Amino acid sequence: MRTLSLLELPSEIISQILSLLSRRDLTVCVRVNKAWCSAFMDSLWHMVESGKVDVINALYRRHLKSVNQSPFLRNLHRIRVLDVQHPTFLRLMYEQDPSPLEPIPLTQLSVRFCVAKSILGPSTGPRHKIREFSDMDPILQILGRSTQLVSFSFWAIIFIPDLHLARLLATLSTSLEKLEMVTDPKYSPTKLASQQGAKALDIFLEVRKDSRFDNLTKMSIIGDSIEPTLLVALLEHSPKMDELNLDRYHTECGDAALARVISSVASQGWKTLGFRFMSDRIGPLTVAAILQSCATLENLRLTNCVAFDSKSIQKLLCSAPNLRRFDSISDNVRDEVEHYSLMAMDIVESTEDWVCLGLETFKCYISGVPRPDITSKNNGRPLTGIYNSGSRYSMLESTRIQRRVLAQLGRLTKLRYVTLGNDTIDLQRVDGANMYEERMEGSYYSWETYEMGSQYQCLTMSLQDGLDELRNLKSLRWLSLEKMSLRMGEAERAWMTDNWLEYGKGPRDTFWTSRGHHVDVGTDLFDKMLHRYPGMLNDIHTYDWW
């Protein structure tokens, strides 16, 4: 039997082999002979990352006078994924490409402009005084040539004027499916940006006219990158848009402006909405706009959002039949749990059942549960109010309410991940939360009995109080009850083992993490956390911080 050479194998097998080779392996392969060079060259140049600034600067200087010798420019037609982390790379393409008018077959482009000395103001002045970045011609030319672009990410930790952003957005290809815009809020002079908003909108509308982004479905915006009126125009030109993630979006965007953004795709409805650090911008108008998409909504995340109260949560669960993921838990355990809770009595007194029977992930505090068995906090501070004093509710009434709540939760038989308490890794304790608690708790403060995020009006999760109502959750893999005042023992643990056969199996849900919702800590804080919790580095990398 004749032995086949590598290149004689079926193309499917060759593709499988190529997917397993590292960039170093591919570099070796292209040097074997001309046939291998021809076969492996496309895979070698499929993705290009311009990581180190000094390397790119050296590349630029080396090829400035010998364009034809630049491997990058000679293989530009092979590149499909380009990750640019320094403007010099774009300048090289803009000034030295011998075929500046030919289309580029890029499908994914990521551009990251970080703060550099050349764009900072005087070294003696405040760090936020930055000269605006105005050299947009290189990136505009590349975008204009990338007619097959599917995904575009633009990271600018510098100030990009709205006029330039409007030109950038207007130049994007109609083939685009995913857009990500990131700016650092502390580097954004919002007053100047708002003054340019009207002109920016005119530029965008003049260039795009009737041309629409018929394939654009996903958009993520962090910081002040796109002014609200420009964002509305962009959404109105994207008839298939169904996913929007906003993180610390536009500091001057109020409730009415944000509501207009959410309502701009009311005709087809949203499937995914994610809001992070937006509590001061979300009000009753935005809440109403969100609830208008209940019929189509599949994934919703709101952190630190007081306006989306218990009645809004109850209305969502009773009118969103396609909902698969819901998260309303605060990112900050310093906040009072009740501000973001679904109140037990709103569930009990409702005449409607939850219709989100396909819900897979549920992350929400359930508070307002009568707990006359708890009269003081863990640190000894007495608890007051109708839920803990025993003056209004007896333990028998508490059991009745808990069973009604758990019966409603037990109807959601597709549930895999349920979080009713706080996250296992408590970052806020390292982040000065202990000092905040000391001010709040006064003489009752104790490091050993850390109170932030503790729940004393919560479900007991005992068999007596209705845990068995969750017997039909056969797909449940994770149940987080951190900082809750429970009454669980060996009987409850044995019951969980017998009834939840999938519990503890399979990976965690990383839906929101993959969309940029992750832990946001500085380097100093990160070092402090690792010093105090040396075993949690792996947890930080694998934990789903939503």
Side-chain angles (χ1 to χ4, degrees):
M1 180 181 294
R2 186 175 68 87
T3 302
L4 294 176
S5 69
L6 175 63
L7 301 183
E8 292 178 310
L9 294 173
S11 59
E12 296 82 0
I13 297 179
I14 295 178
S15 298
Q16 189 69 21
I17 295 173
L18 291 174
S19 66
L20 301 175
L21 298 180
S22 67
R23 191 168 187 82
R24 183 181 180 84
D25 296 332
L26 291 170
T27 303
V28 174
C29 289
V30 298
R31 294 176 178 177
V32 173
N33 54 45
K34 289 185 177 180
W36 278 46
C37 179
S38 176
F40 289 93
M41 188 63 79
D42 285 345
S43 296
L44 176 62
W45 285 93
H46 177 81
M47 180 175 67
V48 174
E49 299 180 14
S50 62
K52 296 183 178 180
V53 173
D54 55 345
V55 173
I56 302 306
N57 281 332
L59 175 70
Y60 184 67
R61 288 193 298 270
R62 185 182 306 123
H63 300 300
L64 187 61
K65 296 182 180 180
S66 57
V67 177
N68 294 331
Q69 300 301 316
S70 170
F72 171 73
L73 293 179
R74 283 191 286 110
N75 291 279
L76 189 59
H77 65 284
R78 305 179 189 272
I79 301 174
R80 297 295 182 272
V81 180
L82 179 59
D83 187 349
V84 180
Q85 300 185 24
H86 193 262
T88 305
F89 215 96
L90 296 178
R91 176 57 62 180
L92 171 66
M93 297 174 62
Y94 179 64
E95 293 182 351
Q96 305 299 317
D97 189 355
S99 305
L101 301 180
E102 292 185 4
I104 304 175
L106 287 176
T107 58
Q108 297 182 40
L109 174 61
S110 176
V111 179
R112 310 182 190 190
F113 292 159
C114 298
V115 174
K117 292 181 179 179
S118 60
I119 57 173
L120 286 172
S123 57
T124 57
R127 186 170 175 78
H128 68 271
K129 289 185 177 180
I130 301 176
R131 296 199 300 269
E132 65 182 50
F133 182 83
S134 57
D135 189 13
M136 296 292 290
D137 290 338
I139 187 173
L140 291 177
Q141 186 212 58
I142 294 171
L143 288 175
R145 297 169 62 188
S146 303
T147 57
Q148 304 175 30
L149 197 63
V150 173
S151 175
F152 177 59
S153 298
F154 185 73
W155 294 58
I157 314 303
I158 52 179
F159 172 48
I160 306 292
D162 282 344
L163 298 179
H164 295 318
L165 284 174
R167 293 172 60 203
L168 185 148
L169 294 173
T171 309
L172 291 172
S173 171
T174 55
S175 62
L176 196 68
E177 297 178 8
K178 179 181 178 182
L179 174 64
E180 183 179 28
M181 304 289 291
V182 181
T183 58
D184 193 325
K186 64 177 175 287
Y187 295 131
S188 300
T190 54
K191 289 184 178 180
L192 177 59
S194 62
Q195 293 172 0
Q196 295 183 344
K199 294 182 180 179
L201 179 61
D202 292 339
I203 291 176
F204 176 82
L205 294 177
E206 180 181 356
V207 175
R208 295 307 301 189
K209 296 181 180 178
D210 297 329
S211 176
R212 303 190 304 177
F213 298 101
D214 289 329
N215 299 300
L216 187 58
T217 59
K218 298 178 177 62
M219 187 185 302
S220 295
I221 301 177
I222 299 178
D224 297 346
S225 54
I226 304 180
E227 194 268 338
T229 57
L230 184 58
L231 177 57
V232 169
L234 178 60
L235 292 174
E236 290 175 345
H237 280 71
S238 308
K240 295 183 180 179
M241 180 68 66
D242 59 19
E243 178 175 325
L244 179 64
N245 290 284
L246 299 178
D247 185 342
R248 291 164 290 183
Y249 174 64
H250 220 278
T251 52
E252 293 188 348
C253 178
D255 181 34
L258 186 56
R260 285 195 297 272
V261 170
I262 304 303
S263 301
S264 59
V265 295
S267 58
Q268 69 266 25
W270 295 99
K271 288 185 178 180
T272 297
L273 287 172
F275 302 95
R276 187 165 178 260
F277 298 120
M278 298 284 293
S279 58
D280 57 338
R281 301 155 178 83
I282 297 179
L285 297 177
T286 302
V287 171
I290 294 173
L291 292 176
Q292 285 181 351
S293 291
C294 279
T296 57
L297 203 57
E298 296 179 2
N299 310 285
L300 177 62
R301 184 189 189 227
L302 307 106
T303 64
N304 308 68
C305 183
V306 178
F308 208 88
D309 56 11
S310 176
K311 293 189 182 300
S312 299
I313 297 174
Q314 177 68 11
K315 183 176 180 180
L316 172 75
L317 298 176
C318 291
S319 54
N322 300 310
L323 195 64
R324 294 181 58 196
R325 295 175 181 86
F326 174 66
D327 173 21
S328 66
I329 286 185
S330 169
D331 275 346
N332 191 344
V333 298
R334 303 181 195 183
D335 299 323
E336 294 294 332
V337 170
E338 291 75 15
H339 292 167
Y340 315 101
S341 297
L342 174 58
M343 302 302 288
M345 294 309 296
D346 285 336
I347 301 175
V348 173
E349 295 175 354
S350 176
T351 58
E352 299 180 85
D353 286 329
W354 293 352
V355 299
C356 48
L357 301 181
L359 195 68
E360 298 178 6
T361 302
F362 180 75
K363 195 168 185 181
C364 179
Y365 298 126
I366 297 180
S367 191
V369 177
R371 293 296 301 273
D373 56 314
I374 304 176
T375 57
S376 63
K377 295 185 175 182
N378 294 327
N379 61 14
R381 184 173 183 173
L383 290 168
T384 59
I386 59 174
Y387 296 111
N388 298 106
S389 64
S391 60
R392 181 171 177 179
Y393 298 100
S394 64
M395 200 61 212
L396 184 63
E397 183 68 8
S398 174
T399 298
R400 183 188 71 83
I401 292 173
Q402 292 187 64
R403 282 195 168 274
R404 290 282 301 277
V405 172
L406 290 172
Q408 193 71 280
L409 196 62
R411 296 178 63 252
L412 311 181
T413 57
K414 301 295 185 180
L415 279 174
R416 293 187 176 188
Y417 312 97
V418 176
T419 298
L420 303 177
N422 288 302
D423 294 328
T424 305
I425 303 174
D426 192 355
L427 298 177
Q428 298 294 338
R429 181 157 191 169
V430 186
D431 191 19
N434 58 310
M435 293 182 288
Y436 176 82
E437 177 168 337
E438 185 173 6
R439 294 195 300 269
M440 296 297 293
E441 299 295 326
S443 60
Y444 289 98
Y445 169 75
S446 171
W447 175 266
E448 289 74 20
T449 56
Y450 183 64
E451 291 293 335
M452 289 293 103
S454 296
Q455 298 185 57
Y456 299 106
Q457 305 167 13
C458 59
L459 301 168
T460 66
M461 300 302 290
S462 68
L463 288 170
Q464 178 182 347
D465 293 332
L467 179 61
D468 56 309
E469 298 284 355
L470 306 181
R471 56 186 172 273
N472 291 325
L473 304 188
K474 302 300 182 182
S475 301
L476 193 65
R477 296 180 177 179
W478 180 265
L479 176 64
S480 180
L481 307 171
E482 298 293 324
K483 308 292 282 187
M484 291 175 62
S485 302
L486 306 172
R487 296 177 61 185
M488 300 181 70
E490 292 301 322
E492 283 75 17
R493 294 184 178 88
W495 182 91
M496 292 167 61
T497 302
D498 294 339
N499 287 270
W500 298 338
L501 301 182
E502 295 295 317
Y503 193 79
K505 300 179 181 179
R508 295 286 297 275
D509 184 2
T510 58
F511 179 85
W512 292 111
T513 304
S514 65
R515 284 157 172 75
H517 295 242
H518 52 76
V519 60
D520 187 15
V521 296
T523 304
D524 295 340
L525 176 56
F526 188 79
D527 293 339
K528 292 179 182 178
M529 290 189 296
L530 291 183
H531 178 72
R532 187 175 296 276
Y533 306 106
M536 80 175 193
L537 180 59
N538 184 63
D539 289 335
I540 289 178
H541 289 159
T542 59
Y543 194 76
D544 183 22
W545 289 103
W546 66 272

